[in-house]
Amino acid sequence: MNPALRAQQRYREEAILSASPQRLLTMLYDRLVLDVERGEAAQLRGDWDTANTELQHAQQIVVELAGSLSDDWAGSGDLRAVYGYLTRTLIGANIGRDAVRTRECLELLLPLRDAWHAAADALAVV
C-alpha cells in the first residue's frame, strides 16, 4: 500500500477510535446509507458483483446496529424489529437482484439516519 493510502487508513482508524458513541452511531448510519445507495446503483446498471458486495456490507452494519441495542431502552424492541425487516429485505433484494426492494430499504433508512444525526447534534449542544 502506498504511503498516502496508509496515512488515509490510519486517519480513518483514529477517527473511529476517538469518536463518541453518538458519532460512531451516525458514522454507521452514514455508511449504511452509502452502501445501500451504491448497491442500488450497481443493481440498476446490472453490476451484480458490486451490488452483492455493497448489500452484504450493509447487512453487516445492520447486524452491528442490532447488536448494539440496549434492552434497557424502551425503543429497542421496535428498532430491533426494524433492523430485522431491513436485514430480510436487503437479503431478498440482493438474491432477487431487485433494485425496488433496495430502494425500499433506503427510503426506510434515510429518516432513521436523519433522526440519529439530530439526536447526536442535540446531545453535542448540551
Side-chain angles (χ1 to χ4, degrees), residues 107-121:
E107 290 173 357
L108 181 62
L109 284 168
L110 289 171
L112 283 171
R113 183 205 50 195
D114 294 345
W116 284 117
H117 271 279
D121 290 346

Side-chain angles (χ1 to χ4, degrees), residues 22-72:
Q22 303 91 303
R23 179 70 181 123
L24 284 173
L25 181 66
T26 58
M27 289 169 74
L28 281 170
Y29 263 94
D30 289 342
R31 181 54 196 257
L32 176 56
V33 166
L34 180 63
D35 287 345
V36 174
E37 287 173 336
R38 287 176 175 173
E40 178 190 34
Q43 286 176 320
L44 291 172
R45 66 177 183 271
D47 182 353
W48 306 117
D49 287 337
T50 299
N52 179 56
T53 299
E54 296 296 339
L55 295 177
Q56 283 189 356
H57 191 255
Q59 292 166 42
Q60 291 171 352
I61 293 172
V62 173
V63 167
E64 184 68 29
L65 289 167
S68 72
L69 289 172
S70 168
D71 290 331
D72 296 338

